[in-house]
Amino acid sequence: MSSIVPVDSQSLLHFLRDWYGEPESPAGQGSNVRMALPDALFEWHEISRQWNHRITSQNYAIPLSELEHDDGKVVFWVENQGTWIWSFDPREQGNPVYEREPSSGTAWSLTGEVLSDFLIHATVLEAILGAPEKKIATNVGERVIATWRDVTAFPFPAWNWPAPGARILFGQEWLALICSSGSSGYNVTVAAKEPSSLTWTEDVPEVDWMSFGEPQDSMEEEPPPLPW
């Protein structure tokens, strides 16, 4: 997995095939909406459609036909309960992405990413949050994280959601979301497609992991308590 760190649309397709399998729908049958919107947004929606929109599970992209302006910005991505939203200004070259927390009444602020990079970043984050196998731990020390081997840092800026400084790591057949716990450590979610890809966590005795996997019978499993 560490060799598949998506940084553009082609490597994103490679990552999605590795994580989700081959697309269920053929390419080239996307939305008929033709608005003055960035190519990167159209391209991402076409990619999502090929996987029958399975590439988002926690937050979501607003359908192209439902996009609206908010204070001069186009809101295109939303946290699943509407507590955080992301937008771009169609008048700005490169389409830098803005964010804000609607309930706080604060103004839009720049994320440090342009739209094309944001969509890749968000897609990888969704892969972690919706992964069939996850382990979650709180207050993990930086020293412990530094001992993990064969890890590649995602080369995009840290996010403010789900917590300030949120960053992603790529391991061998696993991904990790690292967020500040508000104290001296970090809240960590490691995710994989198979339980065997997370057995390495058993060799990290300093960490008390909570494990969550796909249900093995018809009983639905409670969703994991996200640590933010």
Side-chain angles (χ1 to χ4, degrees):
M1 179 64 66
S2 62
S3 62
I4 309 174
V5 180
V7 294
D8 55 28
S9 60
Q10 288 305 308
S11 53
L12 178 61
L13 287 170
H14 189 185
F15 168 82
L16 291 174
R17 284 188 171 91
D18 183 82
W19 193 261
Y20 295 104
E22 290 298 315
E24 292 95 342
S25 300
Q29 298 179 6
S31 171
N32 291 323
V33 175
R34 289 294 179 266
M35 304 167 60
L37 294 172
D39 290 343
L41 193 57
F42 280 111
E43 184 175 1
W44 184 90
H45 276 269
E46 165 61 13
I47 290 171
S48 179
R49 185 199 58 78
Q50 290 178 50
W51 272 271
N52 292 341
H53 308 290
R54 291 192 299 115
I55 65 174
T56 54
S57 60
Q58 169 78 20
N59 305 333
Y60 64 93
I62 296 176
L64 294 177
S65 60
E66 299 176 16
L67 293 174
E68 297 180 350
H69 285 74
D70 181 344
D71 192 25
K73 308 290 191 297
V74 176
V75 178
F76 71 97
W77 200 271
V78 182
E79 189 273 338
N80 68 355
Q81 296 182 349
T83 63
W84 209 271
I85 58 177
W86 292 265
S87 71
F88 64 90
D89 188 331
R91 300 164 296 185
E92 290 186 286
Q93 180 147 13
N95 303 121
V97 174
Y98 294 78
E99 65 184 345
R100 72 184 182 93
E101 188 177 10
S103 62
S104 69
T106 55
W108 290 108
S109 61
L110 285 165
T111 63
E113 289 183 315
V114 296
L115 181 60
S116 56
D117 289 347
F118 174 95
L119 291 167
I120 295 170
H121 195 156
T123 303
V124 175
L125 178 57
E126 290 296 307
I128 296 172
L129 300 179
E133 301 294 332
K134 288 191 284 289
K135 290 192 175 187
I136 295 175
T138 58
N139 296 315
V140 180
E142 180 71 49
R143 179 185 60 81
V144 174
I145 297 173
T147 65
W148 298 351
R149 296 181 178 179
D150 300 319
V151 171
T152 302
F154 202 22
F156 290 150
W159 272 22
N160 290 316
W161 189 94
R167 54 195 170 99
I168 292 174
L169 302 178
F170 284 71
Q172 294 294 331
E173 303 300 328
W174 56 268
L175 302 168
L177 173 64
I178 314 291
C179 302
S180 173
S181 65
S183 57
S184 58
Y186 296 89
N187 294 329
V188 177
T189 300
V190 292
K193 297 178 293 180
E194 302 290 341
S196 58
S197 298
L198 298 180
T199 55
W200 63 271
T201 60
E202 299 167 5
D203 298 325
V204 188
E206 305 95 329
V207 178
D208 183 16
W209 296 100
M210 297 179 288
S211 298
F212 301 89
E214 288 185 324
Q216 299 302 309
D217 52 36
S218 59
M219 298 297 290
E220 291 189 4
E221 182 176 324
E222 288 293 320
L226 300 176
W228 48 79

